[in-house]
Amino acid sequence: MKKFLKTFLFFTLFALTALFVLDRVFPLPLNDARMSRIVVSSDNSLFWRFADEEGIWRYPVEIKDVSPAYIEALLTYEDRWFYKHMGINPFSIIRAVIQNISQGKTISGASTLTMQTARILEPHKKSIGGKIKQILRAVQLEWHLSKDEILTIYLNRAPYGGTIEGIGAASWSYLGKTPLELSHAEAALMTALPQSPSRLRPDRYLDEAQKARDKVLDRLQKFNVWDKKTIKEAKEENIYLTSRFIPQSAPILARRSLQMTNKRIIKTNIDISIQQNLEEIALNAKSTLHPATSLAMLVADHTDMSVKAYIGSIDFNDESRFGHVDMVNAIRSPCSALKPFIYALAIDEGLIHSESLLQDTPRIYGYTPQNFNTAFSGAVSASEALGKSLNLPAVQLIEAYGPKKFMAKLSNADISLKLPPYSQPNLAVILGGAGISLDKLVSAYSAFARGGKISPLRYLADDPLIEYDFIDSGAAWITRRMLSGEADPAFYRRGFLSFAYKTGTSYGMRDAWAIGISSKYIIGVWIGRPDGTPVAEQSGAVSAVPFLHQINNYLKHKQTNSFLLNDYLDEKPSSVSVKNICWPSGQTLEADNINCRVQKRAWIFNDLTPPTLFTYGQDYESGWFTYYADDKGEMTAYYCKNALKKRLALWPVSLTPWLPKKEQISSRLPKKSSVCPPLEENDPTRMLIIKNVKNDTIFTIKNKEELTPKISSQGGRGTRWWFLNGELITQNKEGEFLNHKFTKEGEYQLVVIDESGQSDKSEFTVKNIK
């Protein structure tokens, strides 16, 4: 007996040692069980997949992600003792041997679920050696892994035909649903397919697949796992297959998401219904947009900054439109789409209020841009200038605020503008002289929806919500009202604000932008050619705005609360108030005050009424002119009898051509005393355009010949600069003729401005006479 025990102990130790050595020499090939990477929406809808390097698609799942009915069917049909044996089932082996010998052929197998998993991980030929290897691997699996871990491998690696592996990929491919949503009939079908995946593929051999499903149902009935009613209904249920489901929404976001996380299941914040609606809008746009033009659209919920839709290009598969290029993330010139930020920062800094007087007049020093419509408007309010997207007032503001400070302020809020190589921050930044991507621009606009705080977009479900202080909530609130077209306090209804948006058109019409803020969303639209080629007649207002409104209307109807369909619930911050202000000073005066030439009702931030901004080159302090008057009210020298110091609110001298006669400097200044005249004059001689026809008269060109009319300037001081339809064409001295040839018909606006800031304008028409 002792000898037997010693022998038994020896062989046991030898076997264990051999198994230990084999386990070390031949480790489990678990690393080979690579899963595909998939991208899902906020409700776990699959919208893109990335197969492994062998082209196999596996949808990663855990046991909790699979229908309990499927687990019941699988374990009942394949291995009822799965949670009790140690990888092999001796009783099943004995039963299989007896049945197969008695019938003279293979009637049933003895492979446990663990053994099947071992064969999936390491395939082998049907042979005695292969079966022994399979048994050893099964024992090895049980040694290293829990039952649930083994079952999870099977769920993800079971073959379902072609390049499909795992219950997750099979459910989506054949049935178009998650494995958690399987019905009892579908659970039985999915259990049967791995037995012979090529022969039982339901998309090819539907009858064979149904017979295999019913065989599984018979087994479930035999062991009373499901009741008879459930079995009966499952057998009566037809197999409904979807068209071979290939997830293919948001391909560019899916590609980008691979760089955001290493997770196999990438859960985004995408709302699949919004995404698919915008994809349809993009595809329909191909018939209306210029050839080779692309379209990018982005929708973010500004309550939590989650991205709900991401259209990176008009059509991912259209090479002629550079469909593979992500235009949401591409750096482009935003042009006027940046303007709201300089207005907001100027309000926050106390430089302006909503009705501050700004100057839409030609510039003669440094940066000299023109407006989109090539004309000048003269005196405009801040709200009007932003609403009309005028260039010159925006340049006036960034000059006062500082371009370097402007870019730094945005950069501190994670909004970096990209300057051309070797460039420094300059005035051109506000008109598109620096690049930005659509996603960063949408993020920046969150300042006007989140109380002055800028938050980065949240693409993934587990992205944190981050906030950067940008401006005060009051400045953000006022700017948003200006964007909505409701800057006039008379339109204010407590707690409500309509849809606000801004457009942009880059130089050469290369980029068309529209960014909008609704009650819940920030919507961004970009249109253009990815290669930067100009597109004729393309602009933000004409090209991008229709898409912006189409998306906004769709989103409004999607909202269930009709109370928020048209308006935005938004309480006015305590730092905002309303005051009556006067032009030209920009400050608070009584309506009957002689210096209150135009009264406006303005939104005021922090109870500040800043004066009208100083104009570079102006001969007097902006808004006010100081002089001395005698008892007759005539201008006199300070030392004269009864001289009293007076202040007169004057319009910026550059606005003179656009002012009524009574508001011009020559009409506003008192008569000079003949007894004791002032020592010197602060106002230069009035400058005028002199030409051989009257204002608004028609010049004629015969037979399309060139016309060089005699036009010169009179008065003023020093050099003068000439602008035709907003474009600087030449400069000369007083009395010198403007040597410009007119060769085309059309309406023209001619403006001249001198070194003192004075200007005059003339408008006329040129027609051709045959």
Side-chain angles (χ1 to χ4, degrees), residues 145-166:
L145 304 178
S146 69
K147 289 291 187 179
D148 284 352
E149 288 173 331
I150 295 171
L151 179 58
T152 299
I153 293 176
Y154 180 87
L155 295 178
N156 285 290
R157 295 297 306 274
Y160 279 89
T163 59
I164 303 171
E165 289 189 2

Side-chain angles (χ1 to χ4, degrees), residues 12 30 133 147 161 203 215 223 339 436-437 502 551 578 619 633 636 717 739 769:
T12 300
L30 297 177
K133 185 177 181 180
K147 289 291 187 179
D203 57 336
K215 184 178 179 182
F223 291 105
K339 288 176 182 173
I436 192 173
S437 59
K502 185 70 186 75
I551 298 168
V578 178
D619 280 339
T636 185
R717 180 183 298 170
N739 186 25
I769 299 178

Side-chain angles (χ1 to χ4, degrees), residues 102-272:
S102 63
Q103 297 294 326
K105 60 180 180 180
T106 302
I107 298 298
S108 63
S111 294
T112 63
L113 207 57
T114 306
M115 292 172 65
Q116 292 181 48
T117 303
R119 185 171 182 177
I120 289 171
L121 291 176
E122 192 172 34
H124 61 80
K125 295 181 180 180
K126 287 186 177 182
S127 64
I128 295 177
K131 182 62 68 174
I132 293 174
K133 185 177 181 180
Q134 183 182 4
I135 291 172
L136 291 175
R137 284 298 192 192
V139 173
Q140 193 178 19
L141 278 170
E142 296 281 350
W143 188 353
H144 286 281
L145 304 178
S146 69
K147 289 291 187 179
D148 284 352
E149 288 173 331
I150 295 171
L151 179 58
T152 299
I153 293 176
Y154 180 87
L155 295 178
N156 285 290
R157 295 297 306 274
Y160 279 89
T163 59
I164 303 171
E165 289 189 2
I167 182 62
S171 296
W172 278 110
S173 293
Y174 293 125
L175 305 173
K177 61 174 64 176
T178 69
L180 191 61
E181 300 172 299
L182 295 177
S183 67
H184 286 82
E186 291 166 341
L189 175 66
M190 292 294 105
T191 298
L193 296 186
Q195 296 301 309
S196 183
S198 298
R199 182 176 61 84
L200 299 178
R201 278 184 59 168
D203 57 336
R204 295 182 180 178
Y205 311 106
L206 184 60
D207 291 341
E208 294 298 321
Q210 186 162 336
K211 290 177 183 178
R213 179 200 69 178
D214 292 346
K215 184 178 179 182
V216 174
L217 292 171
D218 291 339
R219 178 73 63 87
L220 291 165
Q221 184 175 6
K222 176 181 177 182
F223 291 105
N224 296 317
V225 177
W226 295 346
D227 58 58
K228 292 182 179 180
K229 181 182 178 182
T230 300
I231 296 293
K232 181 175 180 296
E233 291 175 349
K235 286 187 174 182
E236 292 174 350
E237 182 178 312
N238 291 325
I239 298 176
Y240 294 103
L241 301 177
T242 63
S243 299
R244 188 65 180 273
F245 177 75
I246 301 176
Q248 50 186 2
S249 288
I252 293 179
L253 172 62
R255 184 180 65 191
R256 184 175 178 182
S257 68
L258 293 179
Q259 312 302 319
M260 300 178 184
T261 179
N262 293 322
K263 292 182 178 179
R264 296 199 177 279
I265 300 180
I266 304 173
K267 185 170 184 177
T268 69
N269 288 314
I270 290 293
D271 183 316
I272 197 64

Side-chain angles (χ1 to χ4, degrees), residues 412-458:
N412 290 338
D414 195 39
I415 306 296
S416 297
L417 300 177
K418 185 175 179 60
L419 289 167
Y422 312 110
S423 296
Q424 295 295 321
N426 54 69
L427 302 182
V429 164
I430 200 60
L431 300 184
I436 192 173
S437 59
L438 178 60
D439 53 356
K440 283 294 185 180
L441 195 56
V442 168
S443 173
Y445 270 74
S446 67
F448 307 123
R450 298 180 58 81
K453 298 181 184 296
I454 289 179
S455 294
L457 298 175
R458 295 178 55 245

